[in-house]
Amino acid sequence: MAEARPPGRVCRNLDAAVAAAVPGASGGQLATLGGRLEEYVALVRRWAQTVNLVSRDDLPRIVDRHILPALALRSAVRAVPHARIMDVGSGAGLPAIPLAITLPGASFTLVESRRRRANFLRQAVRGLGLSNVAVVCGRVERYRPPTPQDLIMSRAVADVEGLARLARHCLASTGLLLVTPGPNTQSQTGGSGAVIQFRDDRQGPVSATIACPYQKMVTSDVSVDRVVEDDA
């Protein structure tokens, strides 16, 4: 049971991160969310012994390096239309799976071209009981979703301009792109329409770029502090 989790640094970090990401949740809800996130961390650590999901150096610090930054994006995601979300190059399911756990009202599609990683994602979705998540093994350029997506995100896979080239055909006419920094995301936003730079330092520094390819105005350096909670 989630309530019976042993005390320790990982539990405290997760508990604090979930409480900050989901303000207003009851103690029981926070315990349930924290328990599912711990199950996910355990799955990543187990599968990472044979599948390259995250770097081996990151495994002892997976909560701090991967789970907390994913949870910190929740307020940015909730501040924009997010009923249908696609994660391109999902890999280990970051940031999509932590977000799917804490946003049960949103539908997620995880697109991953590498078969072994896609197999891990399917196992994680089944094991965690995530009925709001579907996994697609294939390249996003060739994928045609049955319904256009409200938000397409990529974690250190492509910059905004690159993600627009790869996945614009999957996006609703009012849809948005979200990318987080990494070695392959060098803030190339030219021709990407309206751009918002999001920062949230409450759970440790996290930043992301949100872009609307169909708009022309540009806004930058916006900090999203709080969104009123509902069932999503």
Side-chain angles (χ1 to χ4, degrees):
M1 298 293 292
E3 291 79 357
R5 287 177 294 152
R9 183 170 180 271
V10 170
C11 292
R12 288 197 300 270
N13 281 357
L14 277 175
D15 289 343
V18 174
V22 192
S26 69
Q29 290 170 326
L30 292 176
T32 298
L33 294 173
R36 295 181 89 186
L37 287 165
E38 283 191 12
E39 290 179 43
Y40 170 60
V41 168
L43 278 170
V44 173
R45 284 177 169 157
R46 185 161 66 248
W47 277 67
Q49 304 305 313
T50 55
V51 180
N52 183 22
L53 296 175
V54 299
S55 79
R56 291 188 179 274
D57 289 341
D58 278 358
L59 282 177
R61 301 174 293 170
I62 187 172
V63 171
D64 293 332
R65 296 291 299 272
H66 296 284
I67 306 301
L68 270 60
L71 292 174
L73 292 173
R74 186 177 184 271
S75 59
V77 170
R78 293 200 66 246
V80 300
H82 62 279
R84 293 176 296 275
I85 300 173
M86 179 183 293
D87 186 20
V88 174
S90 192
L94 294 160
I97 287 181
L99 290 173
I101 289 171
T102 58
L103 289 169
S107 295
F108 288 76
T109 301
L110 280 51
V111 181
E112 173 54 56
S113 62
R114 283 165 283 198
R115 178 180 55 81
R116 297 180 76 191
R117 292 185 179 184
N119 287 342
F120 163 76
L121 293 172
R122 292 190 181 103
Q123 179 60 43
V125 168
R126 285 194 298 268
L128 296 169
L130 296 176
S131 60
N132 60 329
V133 180
V135 177
V136 173
C137 183
R139 300 188 64 84
V140 69
E141 304 96 308
R142 300 172 185 168
Y143 177 59
R144 298 295 184 272
T147 306
Q149 302 295 292
D150 297 310
L151 181 66
I152 298 179
M153 58 188 181
S154 174
R155 179 179 179 268
V157 171
D159 54 40
V160 170
E161 194 172 4
L163 184 59
R165 285 196 303 268
L166 291 172
R168 190 192 299 247
H169 64 280
C170 299
L171 199 62
S173 60
T174 56
L176 299 169
L177 306 173
L178 184 153
V179 300
T180 56
N184 299 319
T185 58
Q186 302 300 320
S187 299
Q188 298 298 317
T189 60
S192 298
V195 176
I196 299 172
Q197 303 291 345
F198 162 76
R199 301 186 313 278
D200 189 338
D201 296 327
R202 293 170 301 168
Q203 302 168 66
V206 63
S207 62
T209 299
I210 302 173
C212 181
Y214 303 105
Q215 301 294 325
K216 299 302 181 186
M217 58 175 285
V218 175
T219 306
S220 64
D221 293 332
V222 173
S223 178
V224 178
D225 293 323
R226 183 167 298 157
V227 179
V228 176
E229 287 297 310
D230 55 27
D231 291 340

